[in-house]
Amino acid sequence: MSGTYLGMPAFPEAAHDAVRNPTLRRNLRHATHTIRDKRARAVAELEDWAGLRAAAKAIKDRTLRHLDHYLVRLEQAVTAAGGTVHWAADAAEANRIVTALVKATGESEVVKVKSMATQETGLNEALEAEGIRAYETDLAELIVQLGDDRPTHILVPAIHRNRGEIRDIFAERMGRWGRPAPDGLTDRPADLAEAARLHLREKFLRAKVGVSGANFMVAETGTLVVVESEGNGRMCLTLPETLISVVGIEKVVPTWRDLEVFLQVLPRSSTAERMNPYTSMWTGTTDGDGPRAFHLVLLDNGRSDTLADEVGRQALRCIRCSACLNVCPVYERAGGHAYGSVYPGPIGAILTPQLRGTGSGLDASLPYASSLCGACYEVCPVAIDIPEVLVHLRERVVQGGEATRNGVRVRLRPAKGHAAERAAMRAARWALDHPAALRAGQRLAARTRRLHPRRLPGPGRAWSDTRDLPEVPAESFRDWWQRTRGGEAR
Amino acid sequence: MRVALFVTCVNDALYPRTGVATVRLLERLGVTVEFPAAQSCCGQPAYNTGYRHETEPLVRRFDRAFRAYEYVVTPSGSCAAMVRDAYPRLGAKAAAEGRGTELAEAAARAAPRTYELTEFLVDVLGVTDVGAYFPHTVTYHPTCHGLRALGLGDRPRRLLAHVRGLELRELDGAEECCGFGGTFAVKNPDVSAAMGADKARAVEATGADAVCALDNSCLAHIGGTLARRGSRVRPVHLAEILAATEEEPYT
Ligand code: SF4
C-alpha cells in the first residue's frame, strides 16, 4: 500500500496521542454517534433487512468462489463496449499503468473521483513523482489534500476535522492548488461548500483526464457503478476525454439483479439514506457522449492471497460502507490515523494485515486493535464476522502458520516480540490443565494476599495505572466447595 | 434436576462469592448442583490472544469434566460464548488440518449443554421470579458477549424486574463495550482505559448504588475504574443479586 504509511508506529503507540486529544475525540464521537443512530433508523425501516443482508453475503460469496470466471466475463464485456482492460498485480504495477496512460494523452493533470483503490496504491504520490498533478474533487478528500493530511475514515476522510479547521485549511491552502478561497470566508457549511464548488468547477472544466474507482462492476454488461452524495464524481466521469478507473478485483457482481441488493444495503449502511443522491454508471465508450477513451485497471494487490485463506477471505465481501467504523468503540477513541492504512477501523484491522501481510510491527498490531465486542459484525451489511477474522489473524501473528503470499503457499513464522507472551501462555496452559497445581498456586496467592502490590509490574502496569486491582480472596471457590461439601466433589 | 456448575477460572480464584451465590440460588430453586473438580479454564484468554494450540487441551478437559451432565451452568457470558462459538471453530480447524475429528466431537458435546446462568433460569427452569430481595438502586451493563454472541436479549432484565426492593436505573450507552476485552486491556491500555472511563462516567450518572453484569471480568474493569475515581458505586455480579433474600441478604 501507500508508502505514506511506512514506518508508522504500532497501533497502541499511534493511538496514545489520539486518546489524549480532546478535540479529535469530540469530533469523532459527535460524528460517529450521529451517523450510527441515523443508520439504525434507516435499517429499521426495512422489514426484510436480515434477508437483504443474507442475500448480499450470499451473492458476494458466490462471486468470490468463481471470481476468475466473472472477471473474464467482465473483461469481455468491457472490451466489447469499447473499453480497454489492464491487469495490475500490485500497487506499483497499477500506478505504472495509470501514469503511462496519462502521459500518452500528453496531459499533466487529472481530476479524481474519491477512490479507496487509488488511495491504497498511493497513486497521487506516484503521479506527482512523474510530474502529473492529481486533484481530488470529493469535498472531504479535497480537505485532506489541501491540509496535507491523511484520510481517517472510509466514507468521510476528513471526519476528524471540524468546521473551523476546514475554514482555516481552505483560506490558507486553496490558492496554492488553484482558485483561492473568497476573502472573509466563514465556517458556515454553505459558505465552505460554495468555496469548494468554485475552486473545483475550474478543474472540472479544464481537465482532459479523469481517474476514478468504482463501487461495483457488473460482469454481464461491463458496467461500472459509482454511488456518491455530491455529484462531483459524475462531473469527473462525464466531462474528461479519457477516463481511467482503478478497481479492486473483488468489486465485481455477476448481474444487474445482484446489483439491486447492494444499492439497497449500501446507502442505508453508510450515509443512512434510503437511496444515495447520485448513482453513475458507465459502460465502455459511446460516440458523442462522455469520455472517448475508457481504461479499466483491475487491481489485485494482495486480494488473491486473501481469497486463498478460508477464514480471512470474507473480508473481501466488504462494500466499504464504513458502518463498522461508526460503531467501533476503539475507532472512536483512537481515530483513523492510528491504523496506518487507508482502511481504518474494524475492516482495516482485518483487511490491511491480509493485503500487506503481518510482517511489520504496525501490521502485526492491527489484529489486536479490538476488544472483540462484536458491534462491527452486528452492523455489517454483508455479515463479515470481523471478530472471527481478528482472532484468526492473531493466531497468525503469535503462532505463525500457513498463508499465501504472492500466490505461493508459505509457512509464516510467528511475528517477533511475542516470545515472553508465548512462554507465559504455555505455562498458564500447563497450570490450567493440572488443577492440583493451579489450586496450590491459588492457595499461595491467598496466603500472601496482604503482600500483593497495588501496582503491577511489566505489561500489567498500564492496567493498574488507571484501575484498582481486585483483591485476592481468602478462600477460592474450589476450597469453599471442598470445605462445605467435602466428599461430594468428583 | 442435576446440573454441573462451571465456575470459571476468574470466579474460582478472584470472585468465589459469585460461585457461592450461583450454588445458593440454584439450590433454592430445587436444583442439585455438582462441582466437577476436573474443570479448569474455558481457554478464552489464550484463544482470543491467538494461542489456538494452547487452547485445545482445555477443550478436551472441559469435555471430560462435563460430559456426564445434561446441563452445565456458568455465571459468565463470555465463557459460555467461548464454549458455544469458539469450541466448534477449534474443532473444525483441527479437522481441516488433518488432525482427526476428536476435538470437533468434544466441542460438539460441550457446546449445546453449556448455559449462561440467566439463559438456564429463563429457558430451562422457566422462572423469572427467583424470590430475590435486594433493596438498592441498580444499573445493568449488558456485556458484549452476553448481548451479541449469546443473544441474551431481555432475560437478565426480566429477572431483575422481579427482584423485590430493587430499582433499576437505565444506563446511557448501555450496549457499548466497557473496554476490557481480555488481553486488549493490556495490549491497548490507553484505548481500554478511555473506554472504561466513559463507561464509569455513564454508570455514575445513573446515581445507582450498584452496577451489575454477568461477567466478573467486565465488572473488574468497570469496578476498578470506578474505585480509582473514588466512586461509591459498587460492582455486583447478577448472580449475587439473584441469590440475595430477606433471610440471607447480600453482604
Ligand atoms: S466490513 Fe462491513 S460494515 Fe465494515 S465497511 Fe465493510 S461492508 Fe461496511
Side-chain angles (χ1 to χ4, degrees):
Chain A
M1 269 187 231
S2 168
T4 328
Y5 295 105
L6 287 180
M8 283 272 306
F11 185 85
E13 290 91 65
H16 179 92
D17 294 339
V19 167
R20 284 164 180 74
N21 179 340
T23 313
L24 177 69
R25 288 266 306 267
R26 209 170 29 242
N27 293 353
L28 274 173
R29 182 176 172 84
H30 177 74
T32 56
H33 280 252
T34 308
I35 184 91
R36 81 164 71 155
D37 296 345
K38 278 169 69 186
R39 186 213 74 100
R41 284 197 295 275
V43 163
E45 278 181 4
L46 294 182
E47 269 169 37
D48 61 342
W49 181 258
L52 271 172
R53 184 176 187 245
K57 170 181 190 282
I59 292 166
K60 280 279 180 181
D61 276 343
R62 175 164 49 85
T63 314
L64 288 169
R65 251 195 325 272
H66 307 289
L67 191 61
D68 47 350
H69 166 78
Y70 289 113
L71 287 172
V72 169
R73 201 116 186 239
L74 176 80
E75 180 177 34
Q76 287 163 351
V78 169
T79 311
T84 310
V85 175
H86 310 258
W87 299 82
D90 56 21
E93 190 174 4
N95 291 344
R96 265 200 311 276
I97 294 168
V98 177
T99 310
L101 288 169
V102 177
K103 280 191 168 166
T105 65
E107 293 296 316
S108 61
E109 55 182 41
V110 302
V111 285
K112 285 190 69 203
V113 185
K114 176 180 177 320
S115 136
M116 296 306 294
T118 60
Q119 287 274 8
E120 180 185 321
T121 64
L123 178 65
N124 290 8
E125 293 81 10
L127 288 173
E128 189 77 54
E130 295 289 324
I132 301 164
R133 212 149 205 226
Y135 296 110
E136 295 291 347
T137 66
D138 173 84
L139 183 54
E141 287 288 0
L142 177 70
I143 295 164
V144 169
Q145 186 172 47
L146 293 177
D148 227 348
D149 199 357
R150 278 178 283 124
T152 56
H153 190 276
I154 293 178
L155 189 78
V156 199
I159 196 167
H160 56 297
R161 298 291 198 183
N162 61 32
R163 282 195 274 142
E165 293 174 295
I166 294 168
R167 191 212 76 89
D168 293 345
I169 291 171
F170 278 10
E172 284 166 28
R173 304 292 192 95
M174 254 182 184
R176 290 187 220 171
W177 287 80
R179 182 176 171 136
D183 287 340
L185 181 65
T186 75
D187 68 357
R188 279 182 49 223
D191 288 353
L192 294 174
E194 180 64 9
R197 206 174 72 88
L198 293 171
H199 179 81
L200 289 171
R201 175 105 348 177
E202 184 187 272
K203 306 258 175 343
F204 292 134
L205 295 175
R206 199 173 64 206
K208 299 277 187 290
V209 182
V211 174
S212 85
N215 294 90
F216 306 99
M217 308 184 285
V218 186
E220 64 176 351
T221 53
T223 302
L224 273 66
V225 184
V226 157
V227 299
E228 49 155 348
S229 300
E230 296 166 9
N232 293 335
R234 176 164 297 182
M235 305 278 265
C236 297
L237 293 167
T238 48
L239 289 174
E241 289 164 12
T242 301
L243 174 60
I244 305 166
S245 302
V246 184
V247 189
I249 53 174
E250 83 283 17
K251 296 268 168 130
V252 66
V253 295
T255 68
W256 283 73
R257 285 194 60 155
D258 299 321
L259 183 64
E260 173 245 2
V261 173
F262 296 106
L263 291 184
Q264 292 187 68
V265 295
L266 178 56
R268 285 185 199 257
S269 301
S270 58
T271 48
E273 289 166 307
R274 297 182 177 120
M275 193 182 174
N276 53 288
Y278 293 86
T279 304
S280 302
M281 302 184 172
W282 63 105
T283 312
T285 55
T286 311
D287 278 342
D289 183 19
R292 289 208 287 278
F294 169 58
H295 295 274
L296 172 60
V297 182
L298 289 171
L299 177 72
D300 188 317
N301 206 31
R303 287 161 173 77
S304 299
D305 291 346
T306 305
L307 192 58
D309 188 286
E310 269 169 48
V311 176
R313 68 169 61 133
Q314 54 186 311
L316 296 178
R317 292 205 295 262
C318 177
I319 56 174
R320 314 278 189 261
C321 71
S322 70
C324 58
L325 277 63
N326 298 330
V327 296
C328 178
V330 176
Y331 174 86
E332 181 187 322
R333 273 101 187 166
H337 285 152
Y339 295 80
S341 151
V342 294
Y343 303 110
I347 182 60
I350 62 167
L351 192 59
T352 307
Q354 295 200 81
L355 296 181
R356 294 200 297 219
T358 44
S360 77
L362 169 64
D363 292 331
S365 74
L366 288 177
Y368 292 94
S370 165
S371 63
L372 302 181
C373 80
C376 48
Y377 178 29
E378 190 176 55
V379 296
C380 177
V382 286
I384 300 171
D385 191 339
I386 294 175
E388 181 190 12
V389 183
L390 286 166
V391 171
H392 175 73
L393 294 173
R394 290 176 184 190
E395 182 189 327
R396 182 173 296 174
V397 170
V398 298
Q399 300 203 319
E402 294 246 304
T404 306
R405 301 310 301 163
N406 302 320
V408 183
R409 204 78 188 142
V410 293
R411 207 163 170 91
L412 297 175
R413 288 219 306 265
K416 284 196 283 291
H418 287 82
E421 183 185 273
R422 198 158 39 242
M425 284 292 175
R426 295 223 166 113
R429 194 222 82 180
W430 184 87
L432 292 169
D433 208 15
H434 293 81
L438 186 64
R439 192 161 169 190
Q442 281 175 359
R443 286 193 176 143
L444 181 65
R447 226 172 300 129
T448 57
R449 66 204 189 103
R450 296 283 162 244
L451 309 172
H452 291 187
R454 289 251 307 157
R455 304 240 140 134
L456 289 172
R461 187 179 321 120
W463 166 278
S464 50
D465 274 354
T466 53
R467 288 151 284 210
D468 281 359
L469 295 165
E471 264 184 45
V472 175
E475 185 183 47
S476 72
F477 178 82
R478 225 170 254 279
D479 285 345
W480 173 83
W481 181 272
Q482 176 98 52
R483 181 167 60 78
T484 58
R485 316 283 158 129
E488 278 175 58
R490 285 160 43 105
Chain B
M1 187 186 289
R2 190 177 77 119
V3 308
L5 172 68
F6 172 44
V7 83
T8 87
C9 58
V10 168
N11 289 339
D12 180 18
L14 293 174
Y15 299 95
R17 297 168 51 112
T18 299
V20 174
T22 308
V23 173
R24 272 176 52 202
L25 169 66
L26 290 172
E27 287 181 347
R28 192 171 79 221
L29 297 170
V31 175
T32 306
V33 182
E34 295 187 18
F35 177 74
Q39 67 178 276
S40 173
C41 168
C42 69
Q44 188 190 182
Y47 178 72
N48 280 351
T49 314
Y51 295 90
R52 176 163 59 95
H53 299 308
E54 269 64 38
T55 314
E56 289 183 354
L58 300 174
V59 178
R60 292 194 199 95
R61 169 167 291 279
F62 189 97
D63 173 47
R64 274 201 309 280
F66 293 110
R67 69 208 293 179
Y69 297 89
E70 193 180 350
Y71 298 106
V72 182
V73 179
T74 182
S76 162
S78 66
C79 299
M82 174 70 195
V83 175
R84 288 237 288 270
D85 289 353
Y87 278 20
R89 276 177 195 166
L90 279 153
K93 275 195 169 181
E97 286 166 355
R99 293 191 285 122
T101 56
E102 178 238 329
L103 200 68
E105 284 158 17
R109 276 189 295 269
R113 67 187 70 206
T114 303
Y115 291 82
E116 181 281 323
L117 176 63
T118 66
E119 275 179 328
F120 180 77
L121 294 173
V122 176
D123 298 0
V124 179
L125 294 186
V127 291
T128 46
D129 186 347
V130 297
Y133 173 71
F134 192 81
H136 301 281
T137 49
V138 173
T139 191
Y140 171 64
H141 168 63
T143 58
C144 299
H145 286 100
L147 186 71
R148 301 191 185 92
L150 295 178
L152 292 180
D154 65 352
R155 290 178 185 83
R157 293 167 153 278
R158 278 158 65 197
L159 289 158
L160 282 169
H162 287 95
V163 176
R164 276 173 306 119
L166 185 148
E167 185 198 324
L168 191 64
R169 296 273 173 90
E170 284 306 321
L171 178 63
D172 202 33
E175 304 199 342
E176 275 180 49
C177 178
C178 70
F180 174 62
T183 44
F184 175 74
V186 176
K187 289 192 182 274
N188 283 285
D190 296 306
V191 177
S192 169
M195 289 162 70
D198 287 347
K199 182 61 76 178
R201 262 194 294 275
V203 166
E204 283 194 306
T206 65
D209 306 327
V211 51
C212 81
L214 294 162
D215 269 283
N216 273 326
S217 41
C218 307
L219 282 173
H221 178 70
I222 299 171
T225 308
L226 285 166
R228 183 59 61 91
R229 293 162 62 85
S231 168
R232 47 157 211 99
V233 187
R234 295 175 69 182
V236 183
H237 194 287
L238 184 64
E240 293 176 54
I241 292 179
L242 299 181
T245 59
E246 240 152 313
E247 297 73 42
E248 289 189 83
Y250 175 87
T251 47

